[in-house]
Each structure stands twice: as C-alpha cells, then as structure tokens.
Amino acid sequence: MAPPRSFLWSRRVFLTLLTGFVLLPVYVMVSSSLKPLADVTGEFRWLPSGLTIRPYIDIWSTVPLARYFVNSLVVAGAATVCSVVIAVFSAYAVSRYDFRGKRAFTVTVLSTQMFPGILFLLPLFLLYVNIGNATGIALFGSRGGLILTYLTFSLPFSIWMLIGYFDSVPRDLDEAALVDGCGPLGALFRIVVPAAIPGIVAVAVYAFMTAWGEVLFASVMTNDTTRTLAVGLQGYSTLNDVYWNQIMAASLVVSVPVVAGFLLLQRYLVAGLTAGAVK
Amino acid sequence: MTITTEVEKPPARPGTGRAPRPRPGRIRRIGLPYLLLLPALILELLVHLVPMVIGIVMSFKELTQFYIRDWGTAPWSGLDNYRVSVDFDAPVGEALLHSFLVTVGFTLLSVGLCWLIGTAAAIFMQDTFRGRGLLRALFLVPYALPVYAAVITWVFMFQHDNGLVNHVLHDQLHLTDKPSFWLIGDNSFYALLTVSVWKGWPFAFLIVMAGLQNIPGELYEAAALDGAGMWQQIRRITLPSLGAVNQVLVLVLFLWTFNDFNTPFVLFGRAAPEAADLISVHIYQASFVTWNFGTGSAMSVLLLLFLLAVTGVYLAVTSRGRRASHAR
C-alpha cells in the first residue's frame, strides 16, 4: 500500500528540518576549522574568505594534543576491554544460572546507573588518595584510576544489555555443549559469545564512547601528563585569544575516530538494542 | 535498597502467575555464578557503593578545606548540613531549591522533546525510501560526537559577537533589536535546552527504531485489510506497541538528563548562569568552588533520595500497568 500524500509531505518537511538542525553544528565545525583566524574572530561568515589548513597544523603545537590523544586512547581502550569482559561474565551468570541474590545483584547494578556522577566524585577522590597513601598504588592522577572509574560507568548498561542478548541465544545450544563435555566457560566462549557478537560489539561501542566523552572526572582526576582530550581542548583559549578555528579543527580530529567507528558499527548497536534493552 | 522491595513485591496472583521456570542444568556448580559476578561486584563496590557510603558520612560532618587532607578528623555536625540545604529562606537553601526547580523543568522539557523528535523520526523512517540509510547515519552523528567537541561547537555558535546564532537571528533575519547574549542571562536556559535536545534525541530515535522492529508485520497487514490508513495504523498499532519500550526509554532519558553534568559544564564552565543552573553543576560549585564539601554531600544525598523516589514510583506504576496488560 502506498503511503498517502499527507504522510509523504509531512515526512519530507520533518526530515528536512531535522537534517538541518543536526548538521548545522557539523557544518560550523568543518567550515570554521578551515578558516583563517580573522574569519572566526570577526562577524560570523557562512563561507571562509580563504581556505587554509593552517589550523590543522597549529593544533598540535598550541597544546600537546598528541599526548592527550594517546591518553584518551589508552584510557578509553582499556576501560572498554575490561568493561566488556567483566560484563560478559556477569551477564552469563545472570542469564544462565539461578542463584540466591540474583535479583538483588541486577537491581543494585542497575540502580548505580542513576547515581549522579557528582555524588561520588569527591568520595572517590578521597578514596583513591587514601588507597594511594596506604598501598602506594597511584590511582589519583593516573590513567589507572581513570580507567577504573570509567569502566564502571558503562558496566551497568553493558550487563543489562548483554543479559537480554544472552537470553535470546537458545539455551539448548550451550546445554548441548555442556553435555558434550565443555566446561561452563567453554560453553560461554564457544557458543554464547560468538552467537552474541552483535550485542558485544554494541556494548563495546557504548563503553568506548562513554569513556571518550567524559568530562567531570577527567577534569578533576588528571594531571599534566595524564590529561585527556576532554580537558585538553580547553587549552586553546588563552586570556587574550580564543583560537576558534583551532578548537574546531581539534574537535573534528578527536571526533573522527569515534564517529567513524560508531557509524561503521551502528548496525550492531541497533541489533544489540533490539535484543538487549528492548523486550 | 529501596528499589529491591519495589521490584520484588509483585505477588503471584492466581491466573496471571507464570509457571515456575525450570532450573537450568549444572546447578551443582553453585559457586560459579558468584565467581563470574565477582569482578563486577568488586568494581561496583569500590567505585560506586563505598564512595556513596563515604559521601553519606561526609554529609554529617563539617567538612571544609581545612579537613580535606584528613577528612576523618572533621568534626561531626549532625544534621546541620541538611538543615542548611533545605532552609529555603536562607541563601544556600534558596539557591538549591531554585536549581532543583530549574533542573526539573529543564529535564521534563528536554526528555519530552527528545522523545517526540526521536519517535517521529523513527516512525517516518520505518519504511524504506531513497537515502534512508544515509539519513539514519547522519542522525546518529550528534549521539556519536564526544560531548566536549559537540558542545564546544555550540559555544562558538552562541558567541555574542562572532557566533552563527546571532548572525542569523540579528544580522540576517533581523528578528532581534540587538545581538543577544546566549550563554549568560535568561537565554541560557534555551541555549542549554537546544544543545541537550540536539545531543539527546538520537538516543530516543535508536531505541524507538529498535522497538519498531519487534512489531509483527501481520498487525499492519490485518489493519490494512480492515481499511485502516497510514495515520490510523500509526495511531492504533505503532504507538501502542511502543508502550514497554517507552517506559524504559523515558526513565533512562530522565535519569541521564537530570544527572547530566558534561553539557552544562562545557557550555557554561564552573558556574552556570542562574537560569540554567542544573543541580549537578550547582553541587559541584557548592563543593569545589565554595569549598564546602559537607553541604555539597548533603545536597548529593538529598538528590539521590529524590531520584530513588522517582524511580521507585515510576517502576511501581509501570509494572502495575504491565501486569494489568498481561491479565487482559
């Protein structure tokens, strides 16, 4: 059945307006990153007076962007790997076993989702400092502390999503593997994990994005050497000048990896959400 | 925890109760599930629950910068911090109440708009048409962009002298007498709302899109046979079928928006303008700028109690609705 014209017209109008709204900042980011400084300090212009790639060269020397980039990559990468592995184990336990405290576990983990970060920022800071004083393990100001913190941010959502995903993998499959002599972990890694790859990819994408975009803890818990991009980008504004063209260029550079990865993997994210979060 | 009781309460009513689920095999390995949960448990304890307990203890102490090195020695102050926080006639309490009300209004508006735009986009894009794949990818860009990169672009757009917003509204469309300030004063509320909706609606879009895939096609075919038009199908089939999805979506959006720190922090810096003074930034400012951690902690605990209550009520209401629809 062909949709009526009223539907087609509303769709066209709505989607056009929405596309404009979505793309406006993207356009500003891209076009401003190619403008000379004079263009971004004066009145706004839709088109650059002259195209220049100068900002893309200068961003690396105005602030140590490369170092921030590596820090972000290490922190977000490690947090993602750890969070996914831990979530896989937990979700498998909840999905496949009945045990005392199961309900309490899922509810507790889920409710940590609603804690505002500000609630445990200072206590966590004090805890890390105390642990550091007592054991010599430097958590505060180190990448390790940030990794530890970030991986718990994505953990609740990841566990929640993977439980749903694992539930959708037929139980007969891994029970057959158990009968065939696989251990529970063998059944997990040979049967359940491969069948749930889309969900696992979705969870990994989510964990990486969460860590890559976090600002609050990054601004309190890092020092000069461990600073991540979230804090580092502030370095382009000095007391006298704001290098908007460089800020836009740097924003674009730090966005490209996540956006590209996300768009490549978005199919899995939608599939993962279908099976996991939405039931 | 409060939630546990809320969730575990549903009594098994005769007729609606499901048959007990058969226990999975290998129940002998009773220790295994706990072993598998151990890493997650330790981390949740270390990073969320223990700090929360510390936070609650701190809220009963007179914790200023003098005691921060050795916070255990700070003197107890009983309920003083709470008393100060909820004394709405005094400056601290008044500011907290104001910030709370701003946050509630902002959250309701933002979640409503995100839901509306996300649902409309998902429904309009349910059928295939040319360019649908490309549009879908574009629509996910705000969600994928790192917060600081996206919000800093909005900061540039909202600049008084060299921003796009004033250029369009004042210079090109002549809608305002003079260029407006967007990041200070009353307009800051709308600036924040715009950015929040821009950033948040794609998540609603994703979830609703996922939910739409679960609606069986036969429903639409049957409706079409009965002579229902496109709009009627959307109203009678699509929207009602999204019920369960919407419950999860709205709760998650609400909690995320209410707790959002990153957006206002990048948009306004450490101290947000009064009109857009969201509670997270407010508490941050009370703790780290005013250096009164005791009061900040008390405010955090109050905020947590509020969120627990909202979630509890929400879960109770929605699970009752779900049970009713099961019984039907």
Side-chain angles (χ1 to χ4, degrees):
Chain A
M1 185 188 71
R5 292 184 62 172
S6 65
F7 180 83
L8 290 179
W9 272 107
S10 352
R11 177 163 79 186
R12 206 164 291 161
V13 171
F14 179 82
L15 292 182
T16 308
L17 288 176
L18 194 56
T19 310
F21 178 51
V22 165
L23 286 186
L24 197 62
V26 179
Y27 173 76
V28 169
M29 198 191 273
V30 176
S31 66
S32 308
S33 75
L34 295 165
K35 289 175 181 175
L37 188 61
D39 272 19
V40 289
T41 48
E43 187 180 281
F44 181 84
R45 327 166 54 115
W46 285 97
L47 294 171
S49 63
L51 282 180
T52 168
I53 56 159
R54 194 77 223 165
Y56 285 91
I57 299 164
D58 292 341
I59 49 174
W60 305 96
S61 50
T62 311
V63 304
L65 188 67
R67 194 203 305 154
Y68 301 154
F69 210 95
V70 171
N71 284 338
S72 278
L73 211 57
V74 170
V75 169
T80 303
V81 172
C82 298
S83 151
V84 169
V85 171
I86 293 168
V88 163
F89 284 135
S90 306
Y92 182 66
V94 172
S95 164
R96 292 304 199 253
Y97 291 92
D98 269 336
F99 54 89
R100 194 186 285 272
K102 176 164 154 172
R103 186 93 211 180
F105 172 80
T106 45
V107 172
T108 310
V109 165
L110 266 185
S111 50
T112 58
Q113 268 274 297
M114 69 182 177
F115 298 164
I118 190 71
L119 179 72
F120 46 86
L121 173 66
L122 181 68
L124 196 63
F125 158 75
L126 293 176
L127 190 68
Y128 281 2
V129 170
N130 285 353
I131 292 179
N133 289 343
T135 65
I137 305 172
L139 286 173
F140 178 72
S142 73
R143 289 169 179 167
L146 217 50
I147 293 170
L148 202 62
T149 316
Y150 285 174
L151 83 91
T152 62
F153 286 173
S154 46
L155 205 53
F157 190 74
S158 305
I159 295 176
W160 181 44
M161 229 165 103
L162 283 183
I163 291 173
Y165 217 92
F166 287 179
D167 280 346
S168 73
V169 177
R171 203 166 276 244
D172 303 347
L173 287 181
D174 48 305
E175 275 171 10
L178 288 172
V179 172
D180 287 346
C182 262
L185 290 184
L188 169 62
F189 284 112
R190 286 185 197 180
I191 310 290
V192 181
V193 166
I197 282 294
I200 293 174
V201 173
V203 161
V205 172
Y206 176 77
F208 192 84
M209 281 172 40
T210 311
W212 193 260
E214 207 281 332
V215 178
L216 172 60
F217 286 76
S219 57
V220 176
M221 296 223 184
T222 55
N223 57 31
D224 281 349
T225 53
T226 55
R227 196 154 293 160
T228 61
L229 292 167
V231 196
L233 284 197
Q234 290 164 9
Y236 292 102
S237 346
T238 62
L239 271 181
N240 305 314
D241 287 304
V242 182
Y243 299 108
W244 281 113
N245 51 353
Q246 288 190 41
I247 295 178
M248 293 298 112
S251 299
L252 200 67
V253 168
V254 305
S255 301
V256 163
V258 260
V259 175
F262 181 81
L263 292 183
L264 280 176
L265 300 171
Q266 50 122 339
R267 226 162 3 108
Y268 293 105
L269 195 77
V270 177
L273 286 171
T274 318
V278 178
K279 279 195 310 168
Chain B
M1 306 211 61
T2 349
I3 299 233
T4 321
T5 53
E6 299 286 1
V7 173
E8 280 182 341
K9 228 176 253 168
R13 279 191 219 157
T16 58
R18 277 163 267 157
R21 195 147 51 92
R23 303 199 132 208
R26 305 290 155 128
I27 204 70
R28 270 167 293 143
R29 301 171 197 272
I30 198 72
L32 185 68
Y34 295 111
L35 207 61
L36 290 170
L37 295 181
L38 201 60
L41 271 177
I42 293 177
L43 283 165
E44 290 292 328
L45 274 176
L46 179 69
V47 181
H48 288 142
L49 299 180
V50 170
M52 233 177 55
V53 174
I54 298 179
I56 293 171
V57 173
M58 280 165 48
S59 70
F60 293 106
K61 289 192 160 222
E62 195 184 303
L63 199 59
T64 52
Q65 71 265 44
F66 305 112
Y67 297 105
I68 207 67
R69 286 243 152 257
D70 196 4
W71 66 278
T73 58
W76 290 95
S77 61
L79 288 172
D80 275 1
N81 290 322
Y82 290 92
R83 226 169 276 142
V84 169
S85 302
V86 297
D87 182 2
F88 300 138
D89 294 326
V92 174
E94 195 191 348
L96 181 66
L97 181 66
H98 170 83
S99 165
F100 174 76
L101 294 177
V102 166
T103 312
V104 170
F106 163 78
T107 306
L108 292 179
L109 269 176
S110 174
V111 171
L113 284 170
C114 285
W115 179 83
L116 207 64
I117 299 177
T119 305
I123 288 177
F124 277 133
M125 289 173 68
Q126 206 177 357
D127 293 328
T128 44
F129 56 86
R130 233 169 44 147
R132 173 168 165 263
L134 177 71
L135 263 195
R136 194 170 82 167
L138 284 184
F139 285 171
L140 295 178
V141 167
Y143 180 66
L145 278 172
V147 184
Y148 47 87
V151 178
I152 223 166
T153 310
W154 279 101
V155 173
F156 179 46
M157 289 162 68
F158 282 127
Q159 289 296 301
H160 182 258
D161 296 326
N162 53 353
L164 171 143
V165 176
N166 276 343
H167 181 66
V168 171
L169 293 184
H170 179 72
D171 303 346
Q172 295 192 317
L173 299 176
H174 305 291
L175 290 175
T176 48
D177 301 339
K178 52 180 194 290
S180 325
F181 285 98
W182 292 100
L183 300 176
I184 51 172
D186 288 346
N187 286 335
S188 56
F189 182 84
Y190 300 102
L192 181 62
L193 187 65
T194 308
V195 180
S196 171
V197 171
W198 181 84
K199 190 96 191 74
W201 80 267
F203 181 74
F205 172 64
L206 259 182
I207 298 277
V208 174
M209 224 167 33
L212 289 180
Q213 293 177 6
N214 289 345
I215 303 176
E218 299 96 66
L219 281 183
Y220 291 107
E221 284 161 27
L225 280 180
D226 289 343
M230 195 95 181
W231 292 111
Q232 264 185 317
Q233 290 181 22
I234 290 172
R235 212 175 58 223
R236 299 279 159 91
I237 301 176
T238 315
L239 290 177
S241 307
L242 288 175
V245 174
N246 280 336
Q247 287 174 7
V248 177
L249 173 62
V250 166
L251 182 63
V252 170
L253 272 182
F254 180 88
L255 292 175
W256 281 355
T257 313
F258 202 94
N259 293 336
D260 190 14
F261 178 88
N262 296 339
T263 311
F265 188 70
V266 180
L267 203 54
F268 305 120
R270 286 162 157 257
E274 208 176 314
D277 188 21
L278 295 194
I279 197 106
S280 293
V281 179
H282 187 83
I283 295 177
Y284 177 91
Q285 212 209 348
S287 313
F288 285 88
V289 181
T290 328
W291 291 103
N292 202 334
F293 296 107
T295 321
S297 303
M299 291 174 176
S300 305
V301 174
L302 291 173
L303 172 63
L304 183 68
L305 290 178
F306 170 76
L307 292 173
L308 280 171
V310 168
T311 313
V313 169
Y314 189 86
L315 287 180
V317 169
T318 54
S319 69
R320 193 174 307 136
R322 213 173 297 145
R323 256 179 286 142
S325 66
H326 270 301
R328 216 180 290 145

